[in-house]
Amino acid sequence: MSNNTHFDYIIIGNGLAGLQLALKMASDAFFDKKHIALIDPSEKNINDKTWSFWETEPSQWNHIIYETWHTASVITTKKTIDLKLNPYSYKSIRSIDFYNYAKQTLSRNKNIQFIVEQVESVSEDDIIKVLTNTNSYTAIHVFDSRIPETFSIDLKDNISIIQHFKGLVIKTEKETFDKNTITMMDYRLKDGEQTTFTYVLPFSETEALVEFTYFTSEVVNEATYDALIKKYIKDYLKIENYTIIETEKGQIPMTNFRFEKFNTKNVTKIGTGGGWVKGSTGYSFKHTEKKIAKIIINIKANKTPSSNLFKSRFKFYDTIFLKVLKDENHKGEWIFQQFYDKNSIVTMFRFLDEESTFLEELKIMWSLFSWSFIKAFFKTL
Protein backbone atom coordinates (compact mmCIF):
# COMPACT_ATOMS: atom_id res chain seq x y z
CA MET A 1 0.00 0.00 0.00
CA SER A 2 1.19 3.50 -0.80
CA ASN A 3 1.86 6.05 1.95
CA ASN A 4 1.12 8.85 -0.52
CA THR A 5 -2.16 9.29 -2.30
CA HIS A 6 -1.58 12.48 -4.29
CA PHE A 7 0.89 12.77 -7.16
CA ASP A 8 1.83 15.25 -9.83
CA TYR A 9 1.75 12.46 -12.42
CA ILE A 10 0.24 9.00 -12.34
CA ILE A 11 1.27 6.56 -15.08
CA ILE A 12 -1.15 3.66 -15.51
CA GLY A 13 0.58 0.60 -16.92
CA ASN A 14 4.21 -0.46 -16.68
CA GLY A 15 4.52 -1.57 -20.29
CA LEU A 16 6.68 -0.10 -23.00
CA ALA A 17 5.04 3.34 -23.03
CA GLY A 18 4.62 3.75 -19.29
CA LEU A 19 8.18 2.78 -18.43
CA GLN A 20 9.72 4.76 -21.30
CA LEU A 21 7.79 7.82 -20.11
CA ALA A 22 8.92 7.34 -16.52
CA LEU A 23 12.54 6.87 -17.61
CA LYS A 24 12.41 10.05 -19.67
CA MET A 25 11.02 11.98 -16.72
CA ALA A 26 13.65 10.51 -14.40
CA SER A 27 16.44 11.67 -16.72
CA ASP A 28 15.19 15.27 -16.87
CA ALA A 29 15.87 17.67 -13.97
CA PHE A 30 12.58 19.42 -14.73
CA PHE A 31 10.78 16.51 -13.01
CA ASP A 32 13.11 16.12 -10.01
CA LYS A 33 10.58 17.61 -7.59
CA LYS A 34 7.52 16.06 -9.20
CA HIS A 35 5.90 13.13 -7.42
CA ILE A 36 5.28 10.32 -9.89
CA ALA A 37 3.45 7.01 -9.41
CA LEU A 38 3.44 4.00 -11.72
CA ILE A 39 0.44 1.72 -11.17
CA ASP A 40 0.30 -1.79 -12.61
CA PRO A 41 -1.05 -5.10 -11.27
CA SER A 42 2.06 -6.96 -12.49
CA GLU A 43 5.58 -6.98 -11.06
CA LYS A 44 6.87 -7.25 -14.65
CA ASN A 45 9.23 -10.13 -13.91
CA ILE A 46 8.48 -12.34 -16.94
CA ASN A 47 10.00 -12.20 -20.43
CA ASP A 48 6.66 -11.91 -22.25
CA LYS A 49 7.62 -10.31 -25.57
CA THR A 50 10.41 -9.19 -27.88
CA TRP A 51 10.57 -5.65 -29.24
CA SER A 52 12.37 -5.09 -32.52
CA PHE A 53 13.24 -1.87 -34.33
CA TRP A 54 15.75 -0.32 -36.71
CA GLU A 55 17.97 2.70 -36.27
CA THR A 56 21.07 4.27 -37.80
CA GLU A 57 22.82 5.45 -34.65
CA PRO A 58 23.57 3.95 -31.23
CA SER A 59 20.83 4.79 -28.76
CA GLN A 60 20.06 4.91 -25.06
CA TRP A 61 19.05 1.23 -25.24
CA ASN A 62 22.42 -0.09 -26.44
CA HIS A 63 23.30 -1.73 -23.15
CA ILE A 64 20.15 -3.90 -23.19
CA ILE A 65 20.13 -4.80 -26.91
CA TYR A 66 19.88 -8.59 -27.07
CA GLU A 67 21.00 -8.96 -30.69
CA THR A 68 21.70 -6.84 -33.77
CA TRP A 69 21.50 -7.72 -37.48
CA HIS A 70 22.67 -5.97 -40.64
CA THR A 71 20.97 -8.10 -43.30
CA ALA A 72 17.45 -9.40 -43.76
CA SER A 73 15.36 -11.41 -46.20
CA VAL A 74 11.75 -11.25 -47.33
CA ILE A 75 10.59 -14.54 -48.86
CA THR A 76 7.43 -14.82 -50.95
CA THR A 77 6.04 -17.67 -53.03
CA LYS A 78 7.59 -16.00 -56.09
CA LYS A 79 10.99 -14.72 -54.97
CA THR A 80 13.47 -14.08 -52.17
CA ILE A 81 14.43 -10.47 -51.56
CA ASP A 82 17.79 -10.02 -49.82
CA LEU A 83 18.13 -6.73 -47.98
CA LYS A 84 21.34 -5.04 -46.86
CA LEU A 85 20.12 -2.80 -44.09
CA ASN A 86 23.00 -0.30 -44.10
CA PRO A 87 22.93 2.47 -42.86
CA TYR A 88 20.37 0.89 -40.52
CA SER A 89 20.73 -1.95 -38.06
CA TYR A 90 17.84 -4.14 -36.94
CA LYS A 91 17.82 -4.66 -33.18
CA SER A 92 15.88 -6.64 -30.61
CA ILE A 93 15.29 -6.12 -26.90
CA ARG A 94 13.83 -8.78 -24.63
CA SER A 95 11.07 -7.35 -22.48
CA ILE A 96 12.55 -8.77 -19.26
CA ASP A 97 15.80 -6.88 -19.87
CA PHE A 98 13.86 -3.67 -20.47
CA TYR A 99 11.66 -4.19 -17.39
CA ASN A 100 14.66 -4.92 -15.15
CA TYR A 101 16.61 -1.92 -16.44
CA ALA A 102 13.62 0.39 -16.00
CA LYS A 103 12.81 -0.82 -12.48
CA GLN A 104 16.41 -0.61 -11.33
CA THR A 105 16.85 2.88 -12.78
CA LEU A 106 13.57 4.26 -11.49
CA SER A 107 13.97 2.77 -8.01
CA ARG A 108 16.91 5.13 -7.45
CA ASN A 109 14.59 8.13 -7.73
CA LYS A 110 12.91 8.96 -4.42
CA ASN A 111 10.19 10.94 -6.17
CA ILE A 112 9.04 7.90 -8.19
CA GLN A 113 6.87 5.21 -6.62
CA PHE A 114 5.73 1.80 -7.90
CA ILE A 115 2.23 0.71 -6.87
CA VAL A 116 1.19 -2.89 -7.59
CA GLU A 117 -2.57 -2.56 -7.92
CA GLN A 118 -5.28 -2.87 -10.57
CA VAL A 119 -6.71 0.43 -11.83
CA GLU A 120 -10.49 0.25 -12.08
CA SER A 121 -11.42 3.79 -13.09
CA VAL A 122 -10.19 7.30 -13.79
CA SER A 123 -12.51 10.25 -13.21
CA GLU A 124 -12.05 13.94 -13.95
CA ASP A 125 -13.51 16.61 -11.72
CA ASP A 126 -11.59 19.47 -10.15
CA ILE A 127 -8.79 16.97 -9.70
CA ILE A 128 -8.10 13.62 -11.38
CA LYS A 129 -9.09 10.61 -9.31
CA VAL A 130 -7.68 7.13 -9.92
CA LEU A 131 -9.51 4.27 -8.23
CA THR A 132 -7.77 0.90 -7.89
CA ASN A 133 -8.94 -2.40 -6.46
CA THR A 134 -7.63 -1.37 -3.02
CA ASN A 135 -6.98 2.39 -2.95
CA SER A 136 -7.87 5.81 -4.28
CA TYR A 137 -5.33 8.31 -5.62
CA THR A 138 -5.38 11.82 -7.05
CA ALA A 139 -3.13 13.50 -9.58
CA ILE A 140 -2.62 16.66 -11.55
CA HIS A 141 -2.17 14.62 -14.73
CA VAL A 142 -2.69 10.97 -15.62
CA PHE A 143 -1.03 9.01 -18.42
CA ASP A 144 -3.26 6.04 -19.14
CA SER A 145 -2.17 3.07 -21.28
CA ARG A 146 -5.44 1.15 -20.99
CA ILE A 147 -7.34 0.61 -24.24
CA PRO A 148 -10.63 2.57 -24.18
CA GLU A 149 -13.63 0.39 -23.37
CA THR A 150 -15.46 1.67 -26.45
CA PHE A 151 -12.78 0.34 -28.82
CA SER A 152 -13.60 -2.80 -30.76
CA ILE A 153 -12.12 -4.37 -33.88
CA ASP A 154 -15.69 -4.71 -35.16
CA LEU A 155 -16.64 -1.02 -35.00
CA LYS A 156 -18.23 -0.18 -38.36
CA ASP A 157 -16.97 3.40 -38.49
CA ASN A 158 -13.34 2.28 -38.34
CA ILE A 159 -11.04 0.02 -40.30
CA SER A 160 -9.35 -2.55 -38.09
CA ILE A 161 -7.56 -5.85 -38.33
CA ILE A 162 -5.53 -7.74 -35.73
CA GLN A 163 -1.86 -8.59 -35.80
CA HIS A 164 -1.89 -11.79 -33.76
CA PHE A 165 0.97 -14.19 -33.33
CA LYS A 166 2.70 -16.89 -31.37
CA GLY A 167 6.45 -17.41 -31.24
CA LEU A 168 8.81 -20.02 -29.88
CA VAL A 169 12.43 -19.47 -28.93
CA ILE A 170 14.01 -22.78 -29.87
CA LYS A 171 17.46 -24.27 -29.35
CA THR A 172 18.85 -26.84 -31.78
CA GLU A 173 21.38 -29.59 -31.23
CA LYS A 174 23.61 -28.49 -34.09
CA GLU A 175 24.38 -25.20 -35.84
CA THR A 176 21.36 -24.35 -37.98
CA PHE A 177 20.75 -20.61 -38.27
CA ASP A 178 22.57 -17.82 -40.05
CA LYS A 179 22.97 -15.54 -37.05
CA ASN A 180 23.68 -12.52 -39.27
CA THR A 181 20.36 -12.45 -41.16
CA ILE A 182 16.77 -12.15 -39.99
CA THR A 183 13.82 -13.49 -41.94
CA MET A 184 11.58 -10.45 -41.78
CA MET A 185 8.67 -12.15 -43.57
CA ASP A 186 8.34 -15.63 -45.11
CA TYR A 187 5.03 -16.07 -46.94
CA ARG A 188 5.54 -19.62 -48.19
CA LEU A 189 3.55 -21.24 -45.37
CA LYS A 190 -0.04 -20.00 -45.39
CA ASP A 191 -3.27 -20.49 -43.52
CA GLY A 192 -5.67 -20.33 -46.43
CA GLU A 193 -6.04 -17.15 -48.51
CA GLN A 194 -5.06 -14.83 -45.66
CA THR A 195 -2.10 -12.58 -44.95
CA THR A 196 0.12 -14.77 -42.78
CA PHE A 197 3.88 -15.02 -42.54
CA THR A 198 6.69 -16.46 -40.45
CA TYR A 199 9.27 -14.26 -38.74
CA VAL A 200 12.66 -15.66 -37.70
CA LEU A 201 15.14 -13.87 -35.42
CA PRO A 202 18.37 -15.89 -35.04
CA PHE A 203 20.11 -15.15 -31.75
CA SER A 204 22.95 -17.57 -32.52
CA GLU A 205 23.69 -20.51 -34.82
CA THR A 206 21.64 -22.74 -32.49
CA GLU A 207 18.96 -20.43 -31.07
CA ALA A 208 16.20 -18.39 -32.70
CA LEU A 209 12.73 -16.95 -32.26
CA VAL A 210 10.34 -18.50 -34.78
CA GLU A 211 7.03 -16.67 -34.89
CA PHE A 212 3.90 -17.22 -36.97
CA THR A 213 1.92 -14.01 -37.56
CA TYR A 214 -1.50 -13.13 -38.96
CA PHE A 215 -2.77 -9.78 -40.26
CA THR A 216 -6.46 -10.73 -40.21
CA SER A 217 -9.85 -9.80 -38.77
CA GLU A 218 -10.24 -13.00 -36.77
CA VAL A 219 -7.92 -14.71 -34.30
CA VAL A 220 -7.23 -18.45 -34.22
CA ASN A 221 -6.89 -20.99 -31.44
CA GLU A 222 -3.51 -21.82 -29.97
CA ALA A 223 -3.38 -25.25 -31.59
CA THR A 224 -3.41 -23.56 -35.01
CA TYR A 225 -0.33 -21.49 -34.21
CA ASP A 226 1.41 -24.55 -32.77
CA ALA A 227 0.73 -26.70 -35.84
CA LEU A 228 1.96 -24.02 -38.26
CA ILE A 229 5.12 -23.23 -36.28
CA LYS A 230 5.89 -26.93 -35.99
CA LYS A 231 5.39 -27.37 -39.74
CA TYR A 232 7.61 -24.38 -40.57
CA ILE A 233 10.42 -25.64 -38.33
CA LYS A 234 10.27 -29.10 -39.89
CA ASP A 235 9.55 -28.34 -43.56
CA TYR A 236 11.26 -24.99 -44.11
CA LEU A 237 14.02 -24.82 -41.51
CA LYS A 238 14.62 -28.58 -41.85
CA ILE A 239 14.98 -29.02 -38.11
CA GLU A 240 13.93 -32.31 -36.52
CA ASN A 241 15.23 -32.00 -32.97
CA TYR A 242 14.97 -28.86 -30.86
CA THR A 243 14.11 -27.63 -27.39
CA ILE A 244 11.56 -24.90 -26.70
CA ILE A 245 13.16 -22.33 -24.38
CA GLU A 246 10.47 -19.63 -24.26
CA THR A 247 7.05 -18.85 -25.68
CA GLU A 248 5.49 -15.53 -26.52
CA LYS A 249 2.14 -14.59 -28.01
CA GLY A 250 0.10 -11.47 -28.47
CA GLN A 251 -2.56 -9.46 -30.24
CA ILE A 252 -1.95 -5.96 -31.57
CA PRO A 253 -4.76 -3.83 -33.02
CA MET A 254 -3.92 -2.43 -36.46
CA THR A 255 -6.55 0.27 -36.80
CA ASN A 256 -7.44 3.82 -37.76
CA PHE A 257 -9.59 4.15 -34.61
CA ARG A 258 -9.15 7.65 -33.19
CA PHE A 259 -7.66 6.81 -29.80
CA GLU A 260 -6.50 10.42 -29.52
CA LYS A 261 -10.10 11.62 -29.05
CA PHE A 262 -9.87 10.26 -25.49
CA ASN A 263 -7.06 12.68 -24.62
CA THR A 264 -8.06 15.60 -22.43
CA LYS A 265 -6.21 18.44 -20.79
CA ASN A 266 -5.56 16.28 -17.72
CA VAL A 267 -5.54 12.72 -19.10
CA THR A 268 -3.26 11.50 -21.89
CA LYS A 269 -3.75 8.08 -23.43
CA ILE A 270 -0.41 6.40 -24.15
CA GLY A 271 0.94 3.26 -25.78
CA THR A 272 -1.49 0.94 -27.54
CA GLY A 273 -4.31 2.68 -25.67
CA GLY A 274 -3.23 5.98 -27.18
CA GLY A 275 -2.98 4.70 -30.75
CA TRP A 276 0.82 4.73 -30.71
CA VAL A 277 1.12 1.38 -32.52
CA LYS A 278 1.60 2.11 -36.22
CA GLY A 279 -1.62 1.06 -37.91
CA SER A 280 -0.02 -0.47 -41.00
CA THR A 281 2.76 -2.51 -39.37
CA GLY A 282 2.24 -2.94 -35.63
CA TYR A 283 5.70 -1.54 -34.84
CA SER A 284 5.74 0.56 -31.68
CA PHE A 285 9.15 0.79 -30.00
CA LYS A 286 10.64 3.81 -31.80
CA HIS A 287 7.25 5.46 -32.31
CA THR A 288 6.78 5.33 -28.55
CA GLU A 289 10.17 6.92 -27.99
CA LYS A 290 9.34 9.81 -30.34
CA LYS A 291 5.91 10.47 -28.87
CA ILE A 292 7.29 10.51 -25.34
CA ALA A 293 9.94 13.02 -26.38
CA LYS A 294 7.16 15.22 -27.77
CA ILE A 295 5.11 14.86 -24.57
CA ILE A 296 8.08 16.01 -22.48
CA ILE A 297 8.56 19.04 -24.76
CA ASN A 298 4.85 19.88 -24.44
CA ILE A 299 4.87 19.62 -20.64
CA LYS A 300 7.92 21.85 -20.30
CA ALA A 301 6.33 24.38 -22.65
CA ASN A 302 3.16 24.35 -20.50
CA LYS A 303 1.13 22.82 -23.34
CA THR A 304 -1.36 19.96 -23.23
CA PRO A 305 0.88 16.85 -23.26
CA SER A 306 -0.95 15.25 -26.22
CA SER A 307 -0.57 18.27 -28.52
CA ASN A 308 0.58 17.43 -32.06
CA LEU A 309 1.51 13.80 -31.39
CA PHE A 310 0.33 12.57 -34.79
CA LYS A 311 0.99 13.44 -38.44
CA SER A 312 -2.29 13.32 -40.34
CA ARG A 313 -0.87 12.27 -43.70
CA PHE A 314 0.68 9.11 -42.25
CA LYS A 315 -2.63 8.23 -40.66
CA PHE A 316 -4.11 8.61 -44.15
CA TYR A 317 -1.51 6.24 -45.63
CA ASP A 318 -2.11 3.70 -42.87
CA THR A 319 -5.86 3.85 -43.50
CA ILE A 320 -5.39 3.08 -47.22
CA PHE A 321 -3.20 0.10 -46.36
CA LEU A 322 -5.68 -1.16 -43.77
CA LYS A 323 -8.57 -0.76 -46.21
CA VAL A 324 -6.83 -2.98 -48.77
CA LEU A 325 -6.00 -5.65 -46.18
CA LYS A 326 -9.51 -5.51 -44.74
CA ASP A 327 -11.26 -5.87 -48.10
CA GLU A 328 -8.73 -8.09 -49.89
CA ASN A 329 -6.72 -9.81 -47.18
CA HIS A 330 -5.02 -12.17 -49.61
CA LYS A 331 -3.18 -9.20 -51.15
CA GLY A 332 -0.82 -8.87 -48.18
CA GLU A 333 1.94 -10.96 -49.72
CA TRP A 334 1.89 -8.91 -52.94
CA ILE A 335 1.86 -5.62 -51.03
CA PHE A 336 4.93 -6.44 -48.96
CA GLN A 337 6.76 -8.00 -51.91
CA GLN A 338 6.30 -4.77 -53.86
CA PHE A 339 7.20 -2.63 -50.90
CA TYR A 340 10.51 -4.37 -50.16
CA ASP A 341 11.41 -5.13 -53.77
CA LYS A 342 10.77 -1.72 -55.36
CA ASN A 343 12.15 0.67 -52.75
CA SER A 344 15.49 1.36 -51.09
CA ILE A 345 16.03 0.54 -47.44
CA VAL A 346 16.42 4.22 -46.59
CA THR A 347 13.15 5.14 -48.33
CA MET A 348 11.23 2.28 -46.71
CA PHE A 349 12.47 2.78 -43.17
CA ARG A 350 12.09 6.57 -43.34
CA PHE A 351 8.51 6.04 -44.51
CA LEU A 352 7.74 3.55 -41.74
CA ASP A 353 9.37 5.89 -39.20
CA GLU A 354 7.16 8.74 -40.50
CA GLU A 355 10.25 10.78 -41.37
CA SER A 356 9.96 10.62 -45.17
CA THR A 357 9.60 13.50 -47.61
CA PHE A 358 6.54 13.82 -49.83
CA LEU A 359 8.66 12.74 -52.83
CA GLU A 360 9.72 9.57 -51.00
CA GLU A 361 6.09 8.91 -50.15
CA LEU A 362 5.11 9.24 -53.81
CA LYS A 363 7.76 6.64 -54.68
CA ILE A 364 6.28 4.28 -52.10
CA MET A 365 2.76 4.84 -53.43
CA TRP A 366 3.91 4.28 -56.99
CA SER A 367 5.51 0.95 -56.05
CA LEU A 368 2.14 -0.19 -54.67
CA PHE A 369 0.10 1.21 -57.54
CA SER A 370 -2.80 -1.14 -58.27
CA TRP A 371 -6.57 -1.12 -58.65
CA SER A 372 -6.89 -2.23 -55.01
CA PHE A 373 -5.00 0.83 -53.78
CA ILE A 374 -6.87 3.16 -56.14
CA LYS A 375 -10.19 1.94 -54.71
CA ALA A 376 -8.91 2.20 -51.14
CA PHE A 377 -7.57 5.71 -51.81
CA PHE A 378 -10.91 7.09 -52.94
CA LYS A 379 -12.86 5.25 -50.24
CA THR A 380 -10.54 6.76 -47.65
CA LEU A 381 -11.01 10.24 -49.12
Side-chain angles (χ1 to χ4, degrees):
M1 181 179 291
S2 168
N3 292 323
N4 301 313
T5 61
H6 179 72
F7 298 90
D8 294 287
Y9 303 107
I10 289 178
I11 299 171
I12 301 174
N14 291 345
L16 178 64
L19 290 175
Q20 276 204 27
L21 176 58
L23 286 168
K24 194 70 172 177
M25 288 179 166
S27 67
D28 192 320
F30 179 87
F31 298 95
D32 283 353
K33 294 184 179 180
K34 303 294 185 182
H35 297 289
I36 302 166
L38 295 99
I39 306 178
D40 193 292
S42 169
E43 296 277 3
K44 295 296 180 183
N45 53 14
I46 297 173
N47 188 46
D48 53 4
K49 57 178 64 71
T50 302
W51 289 297
S52 296
F53 56 94
W54 50 81
E55 59 186 2
T56 58
E57 301 290 341
S59 69
Q60 60 181 311
W61 314 112
N62 267 25
H63 61 292
I64 56 170
I65 297 294
Y66 191 61
E67 194 54 74
T68 300
W69 301 269
H70 303 286
T71 57
S73 62
V74 174
I75 306 171
T76 72
T77 52
K78 294 183 177 180
K79 66 193 308 182
T80 296
I81 304 166
D82 295 317
L83 301 170
K84 293 183 179 179
L85 303 181
N86 186 56
Y88 291 86
S89 297
Y90 193 83
K91 302 177 181 181
S92 281
I93 292 176
R94 300 191 313 158
S95 60
I96 190 63
D97 296 331
F98 174 77
Y99 297 150
N100 287 341
Y101 161 69
K103 289 190 294 184
Q104 290 167 8
T105 301
L106 296 172
S107 65
R108 295 195 288 266
N109 293 68
K110 294 182 179 180
N111 62 318
I112 296 177
Q113 183 174 342
F114 285 93
I115 300 172
V116 184
E117 295 171 14
Q118 176 71 53
V119 171
E120 296 183 343
S121 66
V122 176
S123 59
E124 292 186 69
D125 293 309
D126 294 334
I127 197 163
I128 312 303
K129 191 173 185 178
V130 177
L131 184 66
T132 74
N133 56 325
T134 56
N135 286 295
S136 178
Y137 304 95
T138 57
I140 296 172
H141 198 95
V142 169
F143 297 94
D144 188 358
S145 65
R146 298 173 304 154
I147 294 176
E149 292 181 1
T150 56
F151 171 72
S152 169
I153 292 293
D154 300 321
L155 287 173
K156 292 183 179 180
D157 293 337
N158 302 283
I159 304 169
S160 302
I161 60 175
I162 311 167
Q163 180 180 155
H164 53 105
F165 55 87
K166 182 174 181 179
L168 305 178
V169 177
I170 63 172
K171 189 171 184 63
T172 60
E173 296 177 351
K174 57 183 180 180
E175 294 185 358
T176 304
F177 304 104
D178 177 359
K179 69 175 184 177
N180 299 310
T181 302
I182 67 167
T183 301
M184 193 168 286
M185 294 175 164
D186 187 341
Y187 285 96
R188 292 175 295 173
L189 179 60
K190 298 180 180 296
D191 183 2
E193 294 299 313
Q194 304 181 97
T195 293
T196 60
F197 59 89
T198 310
Y199 174 61
V200 182
L201 288 182
F203 300 130
S204 71
E205 289 90 347
T206 59
E207 188 176 320
L209 169 65
V210 182
E211 193 164 273
F212 196 83
T213 301
Y214 289 76
F215 286 0
T216 58
S217 297
E218 304 291 335
V219 297
V220 299
N221 60 45
E222 195 152 351
T224 300
Y225 299 115
D226 292 337
L228 289 163
I229 295 171
K230 184 177 180 180
K231 182 174 178 61
Y232 186 85
I233 292 171
K234 181 180 179 181
D235 295 350
Y236 295 88
L237 295 179
K238 307 298 182 183
I239 298 171
E240 294 289 341
N241 300 310
Y242 58 90
T243 302
I244 299 173
I245 299 174
E246 290 180 347
T247 301
E248 67 176 49
K249 56 184 178 180
Q251 296 181 22
I252 302 170
M254 298 170 65
T255 179
N256 68 341
F257 181 80
R258 293 187 64 247
F259 291 96
E260 63 271 21
K261 69 183 179 182
F262 294 90
N263 291 327
T264 68
K265 182 180 180 181
N266 300 313
V267 176
T268 302
K269 302 295 287 186
I270 63 173
T272 303
W276 292 9
V277 174
K278 187 162 177 61
S280 59
T281 64
Y283 279 99
S284 62
F285 196 91
K286 297 300 283 188
H287 287 282
T288 297
E289 188 177 312
K290 291 176 183 178
K291 285 178 170 47
I292 284 169
K294 180 61 176 175
I295 283 174
I296 297 299
I297 290 172
N298 286 338
I299 292 173
K300 294 169 73 172
N302 201 30
K303 295 180 180 180
T304 301
S306 57
S307 295
N308 300 315
L309 284 187
F310 296 94
K311 299 177 182 178
S312 59
R313 75 179 191 275
F314 288 101
K315 280 187 166 291
F316 179 74
Y317 301 146
D318 285 343
T319 298
I320 295 172
F321 174 85
L322 287 168
K323 183 65 177 171
V324 175
L325 276 188
K326 183 76 172 181
D327 293 347
E328 302 177 76
N329 193 254
H330 63 284
K331 290 286 184 71
E333 178 182 355
W334 178 87
I335 292 169
F336 284 105
Q337 177 180 299
Q338 292 294 105
F339 182 72
Y340 284 103
D341 197 30
K342 303 297 183 182
N343 299 286
S344 71
I345 283 292
V346 171
T347 299
M348 288 187 291
F349 282 178
R350 280 175 53 81
F351 178 73
L352 294 175
D353 285 338
E354 301 186 356
E355 297 173 349
S356 52
T357 64
F358 186 62
L359 179 60
E360 289 171 321
E361 291 151 26
L362 286 177
K363 290 179 180 178
I364 294 285
M365 293 301 111
W366 181 251
S367 72
L368 300 175
F369 187 80
S370 68
W371 179 237
S372 298
F373 272 85
I374 292 171
K375 288 189 296 183
F377 177 84
F378 283 106
K379 287 180 180 179
T380 301
L381 280 179

